[in-house]
Amino acid sequence: MNAQRIISAVVGIAAGLLVAFVFFGDFGNEDTATSADNKSKAEKVFVPYGELDDYYMLASGGHSGQLFVYGVPSMRKIRTVPVFTPDPATGYGYDKESKEMLGDYTWGDFHHPAVSETEGDYDGEFLFANDVGNNRVAAVDLGIFHTVDIMDLPNMGGPHAGVFLTSNTEYIALPTRFARPLGGEYASLDKYEEEYKGVVSMTTFDKKKKEFDLAFQIVLPPWSYDLSDAGKKDSSDWIVMTTYNTEFATTNLEINASQNDRDYIVMINWKKLEKAVADGKYDDVNGAKMVDPRDVKGAIYAVPVAKSPHGVDVTPDGTRFIASGKLAPLMTVFSFEKAFDAIEKGDFDDEKFGIPILPYEDVMEREVDPPGALGPLHTQFDDKGHAYNTMFISSEVVKWKVDTGEVIDRKPSYYSPGHASAAEGDTVDPDGKWLVALNKIAKDNFLSVGPSHPESMDLYDISGEEMEHIMAAPVDPEPHYAQIIHRDKIKPKKLYEKDEDRPNSVWSVDDAHIERKGDEVHVYGVALRSRFVFDAKAERPDAVTVKQGDKVFFHMTNIDLDQDITHGFGINDYNLNFEVQPGQTSTLEFVADKAGTYPIYCTNFCSALHQEMSGYLLVEPK
Ligand code: K7E
Ligand code: CUA
């Protein structure tokens, strides 16, 4: 395609978007839905008082860096769980532990949540998250809905294409989006092909210690890796990743990275690489074990695919992977079995950058091209062999049969969906009940809040032959992806268990005390309804006096072992606030550099005498 054709394609896409707005703009209002329809829809999502939603939807918060928890089908927002960004509402990023976890970062760009899996099914124990903005991976403990570990990843350039998990959470994998010299070293863009690299981080997570480890990294050509998935069942040793910019464009990617009619899906055998690393076949690169899959026989292949694909999703039975065209208006179904046959026969077209290219015709099973459907981005699945594709440009969800490519139903979305998420949709055993389209544009769906509208999520009932659009719900920017997991699989704790051996913890009012070590002041305090006790023996147990310049540690334990009795802890004028949940011990560490008198108060409403839950920090001038 020459530049002119590309420009006209881009103009065409923009025009398509406009047409989609005008065309679909009238759907879902009272002209098209009768009040009986509306009543039946309302009944499907109404959760009577005292009952609970069937599913948790765990949605990425995009560049808010947070995790959004919704209930499905009510679409009520339940919680924001801070992951990559400080959050005063929960004290995350203020208490010592979470502050150290975040380091100097004040934002993250979280795209793809993934719940830990056992045999290809969500086990509901942990959720993993990628940070495209600052090259990190995080783990949220779904027992306490709290971020428990964050690891910085060396050698990366924005791990957009993760996280995805292998079937037993052996690896949490994160491929890079932007090619970059290893370690982010300086290298002229003229040296792009030689010096810039793509990298996949293969991380492991110890569920007991709640800690990540970087097992190894895979070095790749400087293509952009967009999305990826792990195989399932017979294909579970493999990972597949879409690529764009195989043109090696270094400027104006909109045009220059869309020149080739075909990009590639890269197939990697992670088992072979794991073994190679165990055998010592790696280089140490900035603390990472870097393996080149081209040096390991049978570890890497590529299959051509229609230009600039976006999503790639493995079917629940693990037999196929489906690429969504983005710029090509079609979904391509590839067969793992056919790929394995081609590999066995040694039937390679060509080599690119030392990677054997499998012939498209030999691996491709079919192209699915619903007339007028434009901009396919992502695929989800149900329990009856159907795939559901979001169409960004024609603003719809298309339901089709994976086995035959037959299109079963199409329903508009409001508007421009990115990902969709189906109930248990990434597992070997999807539920086929609900689908939520995560839209990029809300237009006039909600009360206006000015020039920038909220993003929007559409809920569809997918239990019947035809999809039924039920409702739209607003959401903060920006849920790229979400997973919907049955509530029975998540076992939230009611309390932090009492543990007398926990460092810095104090479990009775009488034991609260203060220790001074040089210019460090350690307060071992308790919070309970409705007071703070810092020093049981002091005349005023709820006041602490320090000297200007002292380093102060408030080690606070909440000894109210009743669920939901959370105490906050704010210090006037010191820009500090954190919390202790029932049974939790947290530490606040700061330098008392301002002399004066500073009220301390509980920031989380906890009892009728919550206003009385206060004290003083007194800082004597030097
Ligand atoms: Cu928004 Cu998964 Cu980052 Cu597609 S990605 S839309
Ligand atoms: Cu403790 Cu309010």
Side-chain angles (χ1 to χ4, degrees), residues 527-532 565-568 602-607 609-611 613:
L528 70 160
R529 276 165 295 178
S530 298
R531 62 198 154 120
F532 295 112
I565 305 300
T566 295
H567 297 293
C602 175
T603 47
N604 198 311
F605 212 105
C606 53
S607 77
L609 294 171
H610 156 82
Q611 288 299 87
M613 190 165 175

Side-chain angles (χ1 to χ4, degrees), residues 516 518-521 546-552 590-593:
R516 290 192 161 72
D519 59 0
E520 285 192 2
V521 179
V546 302
K547 291 199 176 62
Q548 187 177 8
D550 278 351
K551 196 183 232 190
V552 182
F590 63 100
V591 176
D593 48 9

Side-chain angles (χ1 to χ4, degrees), residues 552-567:
V552 182
F553 297 78
F554 277 98
H555 307 284
M556 298 300 299
T557 301
N558 179 343
I559 58 171
D560 278 324
L561 297 179
D562 275 335
Q563 57 177 314
D564 202 27
I565 305 300
T566 295
H567 297 293

Side-chain angles (χ1 to χ4, degrees), residues 111-112 160 226-227 310 377-378 417-419 440 478-481:
H111 279 240
H112 304 113
H160 181 268
D226 205 12
L227 274 151
H310 189 53
L377 291 187
H378 298 282
H419 284 263
K440 301 304 182 189
E478 164 170 3
H480 286 273
Y481 187 45

